[in-house]
Amino acid sequence: MSLSAKSILFAALAMAAATNAFAADLTTYQAPDASAYDRPPAFQWSGAYFGAHGGIASPKLNPFANGKGLTGGVQAGYNFQVGPGIVGAELEGSYLGNNEVRVPNGKVEERFRGAAKAKAGLTFDRTLVYGTAGLTMTKFDGGKGVSSPSGWKQGYLLGGGIEQGFGGGLSAKIEYNYVMTNDVSTTTSSGKSKTDLRDHVIKAGLNYRF
């Protein structure tokens, strides 16, 4: 075989080897999923937060009934997130705007309330739907026809709400609480009595997570 023929044969073999290597690279290389770059990270509800709320406290479920009072206050808590589930705890203090609650032969006014609440719920990315329950301490003052309410009285709370997360650690919520306070002692012109009191609180609030 002549030198020129050998050169041509060598060049052909080298080109074939390079072509096979390039083809192998094409079969093993996979382009990254473009959707991975467009998918934002899942919203996180875990961590501590604090905020403020305002709303209406009323002895009736109808928030426009007589005897209602404007309420406002602050809250702080902590959430734990496991997958889409949330569990947490919250402390809350509220001014109840002299919400009037009926007792025998008169009415008492609710002035202040503190609450220690547990909550659990499900997240749908930036939306949290939750239920809550806890203990309350409510400060009562004398109202129409009542000379001496019992002062601070322990009660119970049940409720639920929905919270929407935004950027920068902010979120907004709407929450309903049903509060039960038993054996509230009062003195009226007809004597002393104890009454189980119930009221409804509808409130909106803002939280900041950090």
Side-chain angles (χ1 to χ4, degrees):
M1 184 181 294
S2 65
L3 180 61
S4 61
K6 289 181 179 180
S7 298
I8 293 172
L9 178 60
F10 178 78
L13 292 174
M15 184 176 296
T19 302
N20 289 336
F22 180 71
D25 288 342
L26 287 178
T27 59
T28 57
Y29 176 75
Q30 293 183 348
D33 185 3
S35 63
Y37 295 105
D38 300 330
R39 188 181 304 118
F43 191 81
Q44 290 296 314
W45 290 92
S46 295
Y49 63 90
F50 68 91
H53 62 268
I56 295 175
S58 173
K60 298 181 180 180
L61 185 57
N62 178 4
F64 304 104
N66 292 333
K68 65 182 179 296
L70 296 178
T71 179
V74 295
Q75 68 272 352
Y78 198 97
N79 289 329
F80 297 91
Q81 182 169 358
V82 181
I86 286 286
V87 293
E90 183 176 286
L91 296 176
E92 179 184 89
S94 303
Y95 170 68
L96 297 175
N98 300 342
N99 174 37
E100 292 184 336
V101 185
R102 185 175 296 279
V103 296
N105 301 307
K107 295 180 179 179
V108 296
E109 295 179 347
E110 296 177 325
R111 290 296 183 92
F112 302 98
R113 175 172 293 141
K117 303 188 292 183
K119 66 180 183 179
L122 288 175
T123 64
F124 303 88
D125 192 25
R126 292 177 177 265
T127 303
L128 168 62
V129 180
Y130 63 92
T132 185
L135 299 176
T136 62
M137 290 294 293
T138 304
K139 175 66 167 63
F140 294 95
D141 280 346
K144 296 178 181 178
V146 177
S147 59
S148 59
S150 60
W152 289 94
K153 186 69 176 178
Q154 179 180 318
Y156 306 91
L157 173 152
L158 294 173
I162 184 169
E163 189 166 355
Q164 182 67 34
F166 304 104
L170 289 175
S171 61
K173 69 174 183 177
I174 297 176
E175 184 175 310
Y176 165 76
N177 294 156
Y178 176 61
V179 183
M180 302 158 282
T181 309
N182 297 329
D183 297 331
V184 177
S185 299
T186 56
T187 301
T188 66
S189 58
S190 61
K192 295 183 178 181
S193 62
K194 290 186 177 181
T195 310
D196 296 338
L197 301 182
R198 307 289 185 262
D199 66 339
H200 308 267
V201 183
I202 301 173
K203 55 194 169 185
L206 290 174
N207 285 324
Y208 174 74
R209 297 179 312 283
F210 57 94

